Amino acid sequence: MSRESPADADIISDEELTALLAEAEERTPGEIERGAAEIEIAPPEESTVVDIDE
């Protein structure tokens, strides 16, 4: 019997996320992909950490 951790059970693929977003926004997956391509998101290792509590 395989034991899956609760965190692993919540992981979805990029394609599944795109499909969920498309459904929620009443758009096509292609529209979601094109919109995401227009947003410039830096990889986490290039991001700046900001402490909002200060």
Side-chain angles (χ1 to χ4, degrees):
M1 177 176 8
S2 173
R3 295 181 117 185
E4 187 177 277
S5 72
D8 290 343
D10 294 336
I11 296 173
I12 63 173
S13 70
D14 290 343
E15 292 80 16
E16 291 171 315
L17 177 59
T18 299
L20 288 170
L21 288 171
E23 184 178 330
E25 294 293 322
E26 297 181 352
R27 297 176 184 261
T28 66
E31 289 174 315
I32 298 296
E33 290 289 334
R34 284 189 296 279
E38 293 174 4
I39 300 172
E40 293 183 28
I41 301 173
E45 57 273 3
E46 295 178 17
S47 62
T48 302
V49 176
V50 178
D51 187 355
I52 60 170
D53 291 331
E54 290 185 0

